[in-house]
Amino acid sequence: PIVIANVEHRFLVAEQMREAGIRPRAIVLEPEGRNSAPAAAVAARRAMADDPDAVILLLAADHAMARPTAFVEAVERACAAAKAGCIVTFGIRPDRPETGYGYVLTGREHPEARGVHRVERFVEKPDAATASAYLADGRYLWNSGNFLASAAVLSAEIARLAPTIDEAARTALAAATRDLDFERLEPAAFGHAPAISIDYAVMEKTDRAAVVPCDPGW
């Protein structure tokens, strides 16, 4: 994995990697928190530096999957759509009108990926009345906040839809410094990135969004 974390968490991350027996490809340190879109931009560019054809799975560190096998199966279904140019999210069937999650309106099945659907609409954190309407509709899923995409496609969409973020990530990576097992993003460049989620910056605007309905015990 490529782990992106705040500079204050560097030794905690390194120790947990050792405890888990995982040798990360990189531990990239953010000088300050700027939400998930800048982190995703850095992840995509960092992955492409090693492999221009990389497909990346963006996973939030504070999520738990009680049925990881079901999640792995969903990732495998999503791979075909990601390789066909989609940015795939993992949709969870809602059981209550939750206002703290984003919602995805599922569309037709992707022609090149069974079990993957086009996203008709992507809505971030609706109010209570709207969330209740989505629950009653039955076609809306919660957005789990985890994504699968070609690194090149994700990077291109960030550059198209959020060019300031792309510029900040590219410059901060180019001027990054090595420190033991860590890669430190250049603070001034990274600080120019607006603090915004990948959901708002890209997923609500892109025409490449797709969703895999799944039940991994999220």
Side-chain angles (χ1 to χ4, degrees):
I2 296 171
V3 181
I4 300 179
N6 188 276
V7 64
E8 298 297 330
H9 299 151
R10 61 193 183 280
F11 296 122
L12 178 65
V13 168
E15 181 57 30
Q16 289 192 357
M17 289 289 101
R18 282 193 292 270
E19 289 176 357
I22 295 170
R23 185 178 179 84
R25 182 176 294 249
I27 299 176
V28 181
L29 302 179
E30 295 178 315
E32 58 182 296
R34 306 304 288 163
N35 213 314
S36 60
V42 167
R45 287 195 170 277
R46 182 60 181 77
M48 284 192 296
D50 292 336
D51 178 5
D53 298 320
V55 173
I56 60 173
L57 180 62
L58 295 170
L59 297 172
D62 59 348
H63 293 207
M65 307 289 182
R67 291 186 289 278
T69 300
F71 185 64
V72 170
E73 291 170 353
V75 170
E76 290 172 345
R77 289 198 303 275
C79 273
K83 291 175 181 177
C86 291
I87 303 173
V88 188
T89 184
F90 299 87
I92 311 297
R93 182 70 58 190
D95 58 11
R96 62 186 186 278
E98 174 62 57
T99 60
Y101 301 151
Y103 286 73
V104 176
L105 174 59
T106 56
R108 67 188 186 280
E109 189 171 57
H110 193 287
E112 299 178 47
R114 287 187 59 191
V116 182
H117 295 259
R118 297 287 190 181
V119 171
E120 291 294 325
R121 192 172 174 219
F122 199 104
V123 185
E124 183 65 2
K125 297 181 176 63
D127 60 29
T130 304
S132 294
Y134 290 169
L135 183 65
D137 182 286
R139 294 175 297 160
Y140 285 84
L141 303 172
W142 284 334
N143 167 36
S144 71
N146 301 288
F147 303 95
L148 184 79
S150 154
V153 167
L154 181 61
S155 187
E157 283 296 88
I158 293 171
R160 182 174 73 89
L161 299 169
T164 305
I165 291 174
D166 176 68
E167 174 67 19
R170 185 160 47 84
T171 306
L173 261 177
T177 57
R178 295 285 308 194
D179 176 14
L180 301 175
D181 294 330
F182 308 111
E183 298 177 17
R184 292 176 178 263
L185 296 172
E186 202 283 314
F190 190 72
H192 286 141
I196 186 172
S197 71
I198 190 70
D199 311 75
Y200 282 124
V202 174
M203 298 308 295
E204 283 193 347
K205 302 172 184 175
T206 183
D207 58 0
R208 292 181 174 272
V211 60
V212 178
C214 59
D215 182 17
W218 176 77

